[in-house]
Each structure stands twice: as structure tokens, then as C-alpha cells.
Amino acid sequence: MSTQASNAHALSSVTFHDHNKIPILISQSDKLEHSQLDTDAPYVEDVYETLLPRWRATIRSRILTSVKRESQILARMQARECMRHPWLDLYFLYSSTLGTHTFFMIGLPLTFFFGYEELGRGLVTVLASGVYIVSFLKDLICSPRPLAPPVTRLTIGTHHLEYGFPSTHSTNSVSMALFIFGYVRHAYIQSAAISSSIYYASCAILVIYAVTVVFGRLYTGMHSFTDCTVGVFLGIIIWGAYVIMKESFGIWLATTHWTVPLTMIPICLLLVHYHPHPVDDCPCFEDAIAFVSSLLGIALSRWHSVYSGVDERLLSSVMPGPEGTLWTWEDTALWCTLACVKVVIGILVIFVWRIFAKSLLHLVLPPLFRFLASSFDLPHRRFYTPATDYQHMPVESSLRAIPSVIDLPGVLEVSAMKERSALGRTSEVKRRGAKLNNASPLANGEIYGGSELENSNGPIQRKEVKHYDADVLTKVVVYAGMAMLAGEGLPVTFALLGWGVRPW
């Protein structure tokens, strides 16, 4: 009882930066001793040791020791006046979006819309590999983020709902920076397409980008040094593996044999099926589905374009414009208008596909699963309700790795908090969709817990997020279809309409 009181008392007030209006929960005890961190640990650790195999629990225990130690270091860093400033808070908070897979997925279709399909396939391959491997490790080890308190976390969106080890942002930023560096270096050394000043300026920008994202995860209290170090290492390994395998993988995709779809589809389904079951309800699995399926769709679109005999000249057609280097204002306006039309129509078609396919599969799959369940034992994931236990699915039932237009305001919601750590007393350790047993009272009398975001427009709403087994296969089909539309369907359509594909 006394432990509960002391923990609740640690979260007693909410303050705002005067100019930036970022909500920061301030703890009355800025430093939390190791003895306090360990007070309630046995209750939750029993849950992890019971549900996890011994080898996974052992790895988690060792990483957890580092998390406790590094949480104290991060808290002391945040306590230094020279390290914290409202402008730095804003810079590292919003620059963190540059390391998210959502940021890259919004821009990836554009590479195909404008004829840079090789670049787009490479980006999808590297990014999907990184997201899946990191998501796999997060759900495998179930290690918490730096403990809050004593650390104050700044985050946008729902990233704080995931496990901490390793850092997805660090992996993505490093692998993407190295990937783009490879193209910049090729353009400078081999094709002499860019000058020395542009080359060195590009390298400097890539270094600043990677350092900003990685250090920002420490500054915002979202990751420990161990999380970021392993994330950087994974980013380097993934990029290196891509460089070694990209030529042979590209040649294989360009064959007309049915071995490509007959290999890629089972591999995708097996990767989804064998993704580890976490102890908490973590959204990592949904990210893994989205990106593995996107990679499947991009691979199938490349194979199908070769198999169906799509003329390379069609996909290399140039957008209408003046011949030569002299552009008038009218030419520029026409070209920009056509480019905007391509982007708007392309994104709109992808969203329409998402809505239509998701609705259709939600209607068809549950009855099919119930029929098959009468004869077979279907695969079942923890936290996912089997079709035999429900009759109808709601229109939206879970968090999404790629938001719809309706979701965009929520994705950009800012959350800054000192919350109860993952070592809290409760044994119900679901991070979302669970009844909050570790909620903390705020100054205005509202209840806030780590599985909820502050709502600046009104009272905090509790909403249980439920998952359904049909969601898994639905996401595979939806995201694979989105990638196939972006990789082949829409570029071919633009070329047939006379809009061209390549910008020049």
C-alpha cells in the first residue's frame, strides 16, 4: 500500500513549455534510487519468467539490468540545464518522425510514380528488412524502454507503446543514410552526375540526419544507449547484406519463372506466422505485417511486369515537357500540374484499394475461418480473437502502421510524460487495450497511464483495442496490393494515359 502511494505521489503536476505548449509531466522526485526501481519488480518479473521461455527471460533480464542503470544516466542528462531547452525539445521531438517507417512509406510510392523503380525497390527491401528484424527482436525479448520516472519521455504518436530493445529509429535512419549514400557516391564517382560540393554537402546532410535521429532517441528518453547501439549495428548489417545480395536478388525477380511468387508468398506467410508472441499487446507485429507484405507486393510487381511482357520503354516514358533545357513558365506550370495530378490520383487509388479490400476481406474471411475451424486447428496469436468467438468485425479494429487520412491528426499527437515504468506492480502488463491498473492521477483529476496519449482537446478517453484473427491475413493482402499498385499498376496506367513516368 505504501509503495502504491509513493508511486502515485511521484506524478503530481503537469507543466507546459510557455512557447511550445508541449505537456511535460514533472515528478516531485527527480531522482529515483535503484531500490525504488526494484521495489515492485518481482510482481511483473514473475509474469515474464512464467510466460517467456527460459532463454528469452534470461536475455531480457540482462538487458533490463542495463535499462535500469542507463535510465539513471539519462535522467541526469535531462536534469542538466545545458542539455535541455524548449527549442531542442521541439527539434528532437519532430525530427524523430524522419526515422519512422511511416515517414518512408508515405514517400515510397512517389519513387515508382516518377520512374525510379530500382531506387524504390531498394528502399522497400532495406526498410522492410529493418522493421521486421527489429520488430521480431522487440517481441522476442520484451524489454521495456528507459524507466519513467526518473526519465521524462517525449514522443509523437504511439511509439511509446512498443518495447524498447532495439531502437527502430536508429536502425531505419542508419540503413537509409547508408543506402542513400551509396547512390550519392555512385553519382559522384562513377557517373560524375554531381559536383564535389554537392557530394560533400549530401554526405554532411546524411551524417547530420543519422546523428540527429539516433541521439534524439536518447534526448527524448525513448531509448537507452544499448537500444540505440544495437539499432545502429543492425542498420549497418542490413545495408551491408543488401549491397551484397541486391544484384542476384534483382536478377531473380526479373525471371519469368513461377518460382518467384511460389517462393515469395510462402516466405511472407511464414515470417508473419513465426513472428514471436510478446507478453504485452505490442503493435510491433502490425508493423512487421505491413512491411513484409509491402516487400512481397513490390517483388511480385517486378516479376509480373517481366512475366507479362510490359515494355520497359513504357515504364521509362518521359512526362510531357519541352525538348532541351529551355523551360518557359508555361512549360513549368504544365509539368508541375501534371506531377501533382499523378501524386493525388496515385495516393487516392491506393486509399480506395485499402478501404475496399479491407472491407471485403473483413466480410469474407471470418465465415471462412469459422468453416475451416470445424475441420482444422487454425493458427492463433495471443491477443487476437478467433473467428469462432465473434460474428461481426468493427470497421476499424486496431492501430495501423500506415494511417488513413482520418488517422493523420492522431498520429501527430504529442505525448510527453513521466509515467510509471514497465516494472510497475500490476501483472496485467498489456500496453494497449488493457484496463489500466497503473494509472496515475494528474493535477486536473484525470487519469493517465502509459497506454494512453494525452488529449489536448478534451478529457482522456479510454478505449479498448481488440484484435481479430482475420486482421492478420487482411493486412497481408491489403499492403501487398498497395505495393503492387504503386510498383506496377499505377506507373503503367500513367504511361498509357500519356502522362509519362520519368520526370525527364
Side-chain angles (χ1 to χ4, degrees):
M1 183 66 70
S2 60
T3 302
Q4 296 178 11
S6 62
N7 287 335
H9 182 69
L11 296 165
S12 58
S13 62
V14 182
T15 62
F16 294 84
H17 287 307
D18 294 337
H19 302 290
N20 303 318
K21 300 300 183 183
I22 299 180
I24 307 292
L25 294 184
I26 303 299
S27 172
Q28 291 188 354
S29 54
D30 291 335
K31 295 181 179 180
L32 196 62
E33 302 297 332
H34 287 283
S35 59
Q36 290 177 278
L37 289 175
D38 294 333
T39 300
D40 296 328
Y43 293 92
V44 166
E45 292 311 299
D46 287 344
V47 176
Y48 286 98
E49 292 178 2
T50 300
L51 295 178
L52 292 178
R54 184 174 180 179
W55 65 274
R56 290 173 61 182
T58 300
I59 297 174
R60 181 183 184 276
S61 177
R62 293 182 179 180
I63 295 177
L64 191 57
T65 302
S66 298
V67 170
K68 294 178 184 178
R69 180 177 63 254
E70 294 174 20
S71 294
Q72 298 293 328
I73 299 174
L74 291 174
R76 288 195 292 270
M77 287 175 53
Q78 292 182 338
R80 295 181 180 178
E81 293 184 0
C82 62
M83 287 290 295
R84 297 300 298 270
H85 189 277
W87 289 108
L88 289 178
D89 288 351
L90 281 178
Y91 174 73
F92 286 114
L93 179 66
Y94 287 101
S95 64
S96 67
T97 60
L98 301 178
T100 62
H101 34 272
T102 301
F103 167 77
F104 291 107
M105 286 299 285
I106 292 174
L108 280 175
L110 304 185
T111 61
F112 296 96
F113 294 170
F114 292 94
Y116 298 101
E117 57 174 340
E118 183 180 351
L119 173 66
R121 278 199 304 273
L123 285 170
V124 172
T125 302
V126 173
L127 191 60
S129 301
V131 171
Y132 181 84
I133 292 173
V134 171
S135 299
F136 187 98
L137 291 175
K138 283 187 175 184
D139 281 355
L140 182 74
I141 299 173
C142 303
S143 175
R145 294 183 181 273
L147 310 180
V151 174
T152 301
R153 298 180 190 164
L154 297 174
T155 182
I156 293 179
T158 60
H159 298 293
H160 66 290
L161 302 180
E162 300 178 358
Y163 293 114
F165 176 87
S167 168
T168 308
H169 282 72
S170 299
T171 301
N172 288 346
S173 61
V174 170
S175 63
M176 289 296 99
L178 290 173
F179 178 87
I180 297 173
F181 168 74
Y183 275 82
V184 172
R185 186 175 183 276
H186 180 273
Y188 174 64
I189 295 179
Q190 298 187 16
S191 61
I194 59 176
S195 63
S196 297
S197 58
I198 295 178
Y199 171 71
Y200 290 114
S202 300
C203 292
I205 292 173
L206 292 174
V207 171
I208 293 173
Y209 159 72
V211 172
T212 293
V213 174
V214 175
F215 179 75
R217 306 317 286 161
L218 301 173
Y219 181 93
T220 56
M222 293 297 291
H223 282 286
S224 66
F225 295 96
T226 301
D227 298 341
C228 293
T229 301
V230 175
V232 169
F233 179 75
L234 287 175
I236 296 173
I237 294 298
I238 290 168
W239 171 74
Y242 169 76
V243 171
I244 294 173
M245 300 177 61
K246 68 175 182 179
E247 184 174 355
S248 57
F249 184 63
I251 294 174
W252 181 65
L253 291 181
T255 62
T256 57
H257 302 297
W258 278 86
T259 54
V260 175
L262 293 178
T263 302
M264 290 296 298
I265 294 174
I267 288 178
C268 173
L269 296 177
L270 287 174
L271 289 175
V272 171
H273 176 69
Y274 285 105
H275 194 276
H277 292 250
V279 175
D280 307 321
D281 186 7
C282 178
C284 295
F285 177 60
E286 297 176 4
D287 296 339
I289 297 175
F291 279 88
V292 167
S293 304
S294 297
L295 178 57
L296 171 65
I298 291 299
L300 292 181
S301 66
R302 171 58 177 166
W303 168 81
H304 184 263
S305 64
V306 176
Y307 178 80
S308 60
V310 174
D311 195 335
E312 287 291 337
R313 291 176 296 179
L314 189 66
L315 295 177
S316 300
S317 59
V318 179
M319 294 174 58
E323 298 182 359
T325 58
L326 183 61
W327 284 49
T328 64
W329 285 105
E330 292 79 6
D331 295 330
T332 303
L334 175 63
W335 188 93
C336 292
T337 300
L338 185 57
C340 292
V341 169
K342 287 174 61 176
V343 172
V344 171
I345 291 180
I347 298 299
L348 181 61
V349 169
I350 289 176
F351 276 126
V352 170
W353 159 259
R354 180 184 183 275
I355 294 172
F356 171 77
K358 185 174 182 179
S359 300
L360 178 62
L361 291 171
H362 279 183
L363 181 66
V364 173
L365 289 180
L368 177 61
F369 286 175
R370 283 191 287 270
F371 173 77
L372 295 176
S374 61
S375 303
F376 305 97
D377 291 331
L378 298 179
H380 174 62
R381 287 191 63 85
R382 186 182 300 159
F383 306 119
Y384 281 73
T385 306
T388 53
D389 293 347
Y390 64 87
Q391 292 297 322
H392 302 286
M393 294 182 63
V395 177
E396 296 290 347
S397 60
S398 61
L399 293 176
R400 294 161 295 280
I402 302 179
S404 67
V405 175
I406 300 175
D407 303 322
L408 291 180
V411 170
L412 297 179
E413 229 174 38
V414 176
S415 175
M417 64 262 186
K418 275 197 171 185
E419 61 182 1
R420 285 288 306 277
S421 74
L423 297 178
R425 184 181 60 83
T426 177
S427 61
E428 289 188 39
V429 287
K430 291 185 183 179
R431 300 195 174 195
R432 60 191 178 102
K435 182 178 180 181
L436 294 177
N437 295 328
N438 60 340
S440 302
L442 302 184
N444 59 2
E446 295 174 357
I447 302 298
Y448 175 74
S451 61
E452 295 175 322
L453 295 176
E454 287 101 347
N455 185 347
S456 59
N457 298 322
I460 295 174
Q461 298 178 352
R462 294 183 181 182
K463 182 179 179 181
E464 182 179 359
V465 178
K466 296 190 66 174
H467 309 289
Y468 302 87
D469 56 355
D471 270 335
V472 178
L473 189 55
T474 296
K475 290 178 184 295
V476 172
V477 176
V478 168
Y479 285 107
M482 291 167 64
M484 293 185 71
L485 283 172
E488 181 187 13
L490 288 166
V492 170
T493 301
F494 294 151
L496 293 176
L497 290 174
W499 295 352
V501 181
R502 291 190 175 276
W504 41 72

